[in-house]
Amino acid sequence: GQQVMQIPQYQHVQEGEDFTTYCNSSTTLSNIQWYKQRPGGHPVFLIQLVKSGEVKKQKRLTFQFGEAKKNSSLHITATQTTDVGTYFCAHPGGSSNTGKLIFGQGTTLQVKP
Amino acid sequence: EPEVTQTPSHQVTQMGQEVILRCVPISNHLYFYWYRQILGQKVEFLVSFYNNEISEKSEIFDDQFSVERPDGSNFTLKIRSTKLEDSAMYFCAGGLRQQETQYFGPGTRLLVL
């Protein structure tokens, strides 16, 4: 269906290590969005990827959209304690194009100082 | 920078009681959404709203739920007769265009006893 699988569910890293979360869909996606949710907070938009094979960077964060537009990844280089939170991928689902977002299960990142 | 606001931040209610969750979206947004997040789980779509009517609703959004935007400013979610399983964080979100960035409010944490 429209679900996206996100792995891993949890990741504990030492500060300075890299981190990657992956999002996979069985169907082609029109676009994929990434959100970050700090503990106790709300989802905050990070980026949207639209084109096949697209790669975008935001400082230490690198986002990729697969060639088939069925998978995406978020890579953080040299994690910092401020990176702590849950990272969700999400895509606009539904045939009615209402803009509803279908979220992955999220990857919760813990960074040990 | 404009932001989405939600009130109350926390609500405790007895099972069977009605609750109204309020949201003030960003003023120039056209598409509005309610999502919920049960503790430790992913964000789930409830309903989308455009042009003063519901454009899509999920299976969760049964007859006990309703939304309205009575004055062009506030966007409310009403649960007529709350159940224990309605306990969750409820997020309002809005966007300028469908299938693009959504801006989330800080959420209302609802606890049904």
Side-chain angles (χ1 to χ4, degrees):
Chain A
Q2 301 170 353
Q3 300 302 318
V4 283
M5 300 302 295
Q6 197 173 346
I7 55 170
Q9 188 174 2
Y10 298 98
Q11 184 88 58
H12 295 249
V13 300
Q14 198 71 40
E15 189 172 22
E17 292 181 338
D18 293 356
F19 159 77
T20 306
T21 172
Y22 301 90
C23 192
N24 297 293
S25 169
S26 58
T27 58
T28 303
L29 304 173
S30 59
N31 71 65
I32 195 144
Q33 301 175 26
W34 285 91
Y35 289 79
K36 176 182 178 181
Q37 185 177 29
R38 293 184 186 274
H42 59 278
V44 175
F45 174 80
L46 294 176
I47 209 149
Q48 176 175 274
L49 304 170
V50 180
K51 299 176 186 174
S52 167
E54 189 169 13
V55 178
K56 285 188 177 180
K57 293 194 177 195
Q58 287 178 353
K59 297 182 180 177
R60 293 178 295 103
L61 277 60
T62 302
F63 303 84
Q64 291 189 309
F65 201 11
E67 293 289 341
K69 299 180 74 172
K70 289 184 177 181
N71 55 67
S72 180
S73 65
L74 157 58
H75 179 82
I76 303 178
T77 304
T79 53
Q80 300 174 359
T81 54
T82 52
D83 296 324
V84 164
T86 300
Y87 293 84
F88 291 98
C89 62
H91 72 94
S95 56
S96 53
N97 281 333
T98 60
K100 76 175 188 186
L101 288 175
I102 296 179
F103 283 77
Q105 299 94 320
T107 296
T108 298
L109 172 65
Q110 292 283 0
V111 179
K112 288 178 281 189
Chain B
E1 188 175 319
E3 53 185 30
V4 179
T5 58
Q6 285 186 246
T7 53
S9 58
H10 295 80
Q11 174 99 50
V12 181
T13 191
Q14 294 290 325
M15 189 170 57
Q17 294 296 304
E18 174 183 286
V19 294
I20 298 176
L21 310 183
R22 292 184 165 80
C23 169
V24 179
I26 295 171
S27 60
N28 65 337
H29 284 176
L30 299 175
Y31 297 86
F32 310 103
Y33 309 87
W34 282 99
Y35 295 86
R36 80 170 187 190
Q37 186 178 32
I38 294 170
L39 188 64
Q41 298 188 22
K42 68 177 181 179
V43 178
E44 300 176 287
F45 167 78
L46 290 178
V47 65
S48 58
F49 194 85
Y50 170 70
N51 204 25
N52 233 24
E53 59 182 23
I54 291 174
S55 45
E56 187 172 0
K57 54 186 180 180
S58 72
E59 297 165 353
I60 304 167
F61 195 90
D62 62 21
D63 292 345
Q64 295 302 311
F65 290 84
S66 63
V67 289
E68 58 176 14
R69 194 161 180 255
D71 56 9
S73 174
N74 294 283
F75 180 45
T76 61
L77 173 69
K78 182 193 289 186
I79 310 175
R80 285 189 192 82
S81 178
T82 50
K83 304 187 284 285
L84 296 176
E85 53 265 38
D86 293 328
S87 296
M89 182 74 98
Y90 288 80
F91 293 108
C92 168
L96 193 52
R97 299 174 191 84
Q98 58 187 137
Q99 301 212 9
E100 294 192 2
T101 309
Q102 291 186 19
Y103 294 86
F104 284 73
T108 293
R109 185 171 295 283
L110 176 65
L111 178 61
V112 183
L113 301 175

